[in-house]
Amino acid sequence: MTAVAEVMDYAEVVERFDPVLGLEVHVELNTKTKMFCGCANEFGGEPNTHVCPTCLGLPGALPVLNGKGVEGAIRIGLALNCEIAEWCRFARKNYFYPDMPKNFQTSQYDEPIAFNGYLDVTLDDGEVVRVEIERAHMEEDTGKSLHVGGATGRIHGAEHSLLDYNRAGVPLIEIVTKPIVGMGSRAPEVARAYVTALRDLLRALDVSDVRMDQGSLRCDANVSLMPKGTTEFGTRTETKNVNSFRSVERAVRYEMTRQAAVLVAGGKVTQETRHFQESDGTTSPGRTKETAEDYRYFPEPDLVPIAPSREWVEELRGTLPEMPAARRKRIQTEWNLSAEELRDLFNSGAVDLVEATVAEGAKPNEARSWWVNFLAQEANAREVEIAALPITPAQVARVAALVDSGELTNKLAREVVKGVLAGEGEPDEVVEKRGLKVVSDDSALLAAVDEALAAQPDIADKIRGGKVQAAGAIVGAVMKATKGQADAKRVRELIIERVGA
């Protein structure tokens, strides 16, 4: 068992050291085929079924570049405010590992397709931090190793390993930041906020499904420390393939406390890759980190250089959607939301659904309430994404309209939505089938009011005596008698009239 590393109290870390971050995010593109061959680019499938001689690296097989992959790379670069290269090329990154069938990865080295950009990131308290982008380059993903036996699922202690090359050759864009300095105690928060903002941007571009749980968005977090008052970067570690926003924050924080303890004890930080442990928020050693020279990069001889015309680049710029930051600002202004309401809306993952519901005629607060509250709970109960619920924005807007018109109470409206979710038809059909329309006939309501007053004469006397708040008990009785289908406000008015209060 690996010994638990010594760590320093976080407050002392930020008092004695300045953290330096470098974040490398790999995003798998959602092209139909792989980067250099015609195999299906699909998650899952039986092992080694989405493969061909090219992605298996068999002798004589030649790559052919996926044009949609290049288009996705350029659009990502533009959205990150990068310069787009007028001429760039691929390189071979040589290393030997079982999940790389060619024993090299086709990537880009000194000539990336996009470079010198930035992404403005909003922290929890509203502060905006500009994260500068070094490069965004194209490459291919590797295969996947499955280590069988042992306690950790890693190669150490495993009885044998299995290899699945379905993922080999899937289009990847690697987005690399410049060193992030000056963040102090907020460095872990900045790391989380950056990856979150980047995910939102990539989702808006529709270039990837950005599912961290399936590996289509992965973050490598580089961390080093500088003693206060110095300017020379310390030795960094790289925590590989962190697959959730919370884990990115935890991994950075832990590495800061671990490295500080090593340095204060007179030791040296080892430049290495590390693995994040979800169970306890620690990291453990991987392998000694290679340098660029170790990979022996050289130009890929089987692929021609890429020279995107300026006309094409500008054409792609015109396809960019409203960027997430601008969208947040517009929605907050148009819907008059507080910072907390805006945060909850975006955290719910229902922004598109709410906007679509508003477009169908619902008021913003009504649409937001339905999706962020009631329907989010339904999605959680069913263990599905909220967008997967069997109800449309148009149907939600219709329910909201029925409430606004007085034909449904909020309680009845929830029953209607449940009926739609159960597959009972459109909202109006559910209202008809379940008999849920509000009882608006005063004669029917008066009969129920008279019955409730006769059953509780003491309450009626209190109302006559000026204790109007006592009418609530009668309202409740009437609502029960009408199975919740009465308009409570109108019932209260009739009660006051009836007792002459």
Side-chain angles (χ1 to χ4, degrees):
M1 181 179 291
T2 304
V4 177
E6 294 291 330
V7 296
M8 180 182 288
D9 179 74
Y10 189 71
E12 185 178 355
V13 174
V14 296
E15 184 179 329
R16 301 181 63 161
F17 296 94
D18 290 320
V20 180
L21 305 182
L23 301 172
E24 303 171 12
V25 174
H26 295 79
V27 54
E28 290 183 350
L29 300 182
N30 57 6
T31 55
K32 292 182 179 179
T33 57
K34 292 183 179 182
M35 195 62 168
F36 302 113
C37 66
C39 291
N41 175 18
E42 297 175 357
F43 178 79
E46 289 297 313
N48 299 308
T49 54
H50 302 161
V51 294
C52 71
T54 299
C55 54
L56 288 175
L58 299 183
L62 292 174
V64 177
L65 181 58
N66 186 328
K68 282 291 183 181
V70 178
E71 180 179 305
I74 293 174
R75 294 180 75 239
I76 290 172
L78 291 171
L80 290 171
N81 304 290
C82 289
E83 299 176 48
I84 305 300
E86 295 190 19
W87 189 95
C88 63
R89 59 183 173 179
F90 284 97
R92 290 189 179 184
K93 180 181 181 181
N94 295 274
Y95 65 97
F96 302 95
Y97 205 73
D99 63 11
M100 277 302 306
K102 299 181 294 188
N103 284 330
F104 66 84
Q105 180 185 30
T106 305
S107 182
Q108 290 188 304
Y109 175 45
D110 55 344
E111 298 167 304
I113 193 165
F115 54 94
N116 282 344
Y118 64 87
L119 178 62
D120 287 333
V121 175
T122 303
L123 304 185
D124 291 341
D125 63 356
E127 180 183 349
V128 176
V129 173
R130 175 160 292 186
V131 176
E132 295 188 332
I133 306 297
E134 176 73 34
R135 57 193 281 142
H137 67 257
M138 298 179 286
E139 60 186 25
E140 60 182 336
D141 212 341
T142 61
K144 183 177 181 181
S145 299
L146 176 65
H147 305 297
V148 182
T152 65
R154 303 193 184 280
I155 194 168
H156 301 292
E159 296 173 359
H160 62 277
S161 297
L162 301 174
L163 297 170
D164 180 7
Y165 291 121
N166 279 349
R167 197 176 66 183
V170 165
L172 271 186
I173 305 299
E174 181 175 354
I175 302 165
V176 182
T177 70
K178 294 181 180 179
I180 304 171
V181 298
M183 295 297 101
S185 64
R186 305 195 74 173
E189 181 189 351
V190 170
R192 169 178 54 81
Y194 166 75
V195 179
T196 303
L198 186 57
R199 186 278 311 265
D200 292 343
L201 181 145
L202 294 166
R203 177 179 284 166
L205 291 172
D206 193 26
V207 293
S208 171
D209 64 12
V210 290
R211 290 194 56 175
M212 297 188 82
D213 60 317
Q214 293 183 356
S216 55
L217 184 71
R218 313 190 290 272
C219 178
D220 298 341
N222 293 271
V223 179
S224 67
L225 296 177
M226 297 186 296
K228 288 283 187 179
T230 64
T231 57
E232 183 178 350
F233 292 172
T235 301
R236 64 184 173 89
T237 62
E238 181 181 11
T239 304
K240 300 287 289 184
N241 295 330
V242 188
N243 63 0
S244 77
F245 305 130
R246 178 170 177 264
S247 295
V248 169
E249 183 171 11
R250 293 172 73 202
V252 169
R253 186 183 181 97
Y254 177 79
E255 269 303 288
M256 287 171 62
T257 61
R258 185 192 68 83
Q259 290 183 24
V262 170
L263 295 171
V264 169
K268 293 183 177 180
V269 174
T270 302
Q271 182 170 323
E272 62 187 357
T273 62
R274 296 184 69 86
H275 302 295
F276 181 69
Q277 312 299 328
E278 292 281 356
S279 58
D280 59 8
T282 65
T283 65
S284 58
R287 67 177 191 276
T288 301
K289 180 61 178 173
E290 297 92 342
T291 64
E293 289 75 16
D294 292 323
Y295 289 122
R296 303 184 325 281
Y297 283 98
F298 65 86
E300 167 58 72
D302 292 333
L303 289 167
V304 298
I306 305 155
S309 69
R310 298 303 90 181
E311 292 78 15
W312 186 38
V313 171
E314 290 309 308
E315 180 183 329
L316 292 176
R317 192 189 301 276
T319 70
L320 298 183
E322 181 182 28
M323 291 294 103
R327 186 186 190 195
R328 290 173 72 97
K329 186 175 182 179
R330 173 181 59 78
I331 285 175
Q332 184 173 19
T333 300
E334 289 181 356
W335 296 356
N336 193 28
L337 301 180
S338 68
E340 292 75 17
E341 289 171 334
L342 183 71
R343 182 195 63 217
D344 292 344
L345 172 61
F346 276 82
N347 287 346
S348 72
V351 183
D352 291 341
L353 295 166
V354 174
E355 276 208 293
T357 304
V358 172
E360 291 287 346
K363 297 174 184 175
N365 63 320
E366 295 171 343
R368 185 166 54 85
S369 179
W370 276 113
W371 288 106
V372 176
N373 298 320
F374 186 77
L375 288 167
Q377 293 172 6
E378 287 288 324
N380 288 336
R382 297 172 181 229
E383 298 183 342
V384 299
E385 295 290 326
I386 193 168
L389 288 174
I391 189 168
T392 67
Q395 290 169 329
V396 174
R398 176 56 184 161
V399 173
L402 290 171
V403 173
D404 284 346
S405 68
E407 296 177 65
L408 292 178
T409 63
N410 287 326
K411 182 178 179 181
L412 293 175
R414 287 192 287 273
E415 293 301 312
V416 173
V417 170
K418 287 180 180 178
V420 175
L421 292 172
E424 297 175 19
E426 293 297 313
D428 291 280
E429 294 176 296
V430 175
V431 169
E432 189 67 29
K433 290 176 183 176
R434 294 195 177 192
L436 296 175
K437 188 170 290 190
V438 166
V439 176
S440 55
D441 180 5
D442 277 3
S443 60
L445 291 178
L446 279 171
V449 166
D450 289 340
E451 185 176 339
L453 288 170
Q456 302 184 71
D458 54 328
I459 300 295
D461 289 340
K462 287 181 180 180
I463 300 170
R464 290 190 187 94
K467 294 184 178 180
V468 180
Q469 64 269 25
I474 305 299
V475 173
V478 173
M479 295 302 291
K480 183 177 180 180
T482 59
K483 298 179 181 180
Q485 292 177 239
D487 180 342
K489 181 179 178 181
R490 181 55 182 157
V491 169
R492 185 180 180 84
E493 292 172 351
L494 292 173
I495 292 170
I496 302 303
E497 292 175 9
R498 213 60 163 171
V499 299

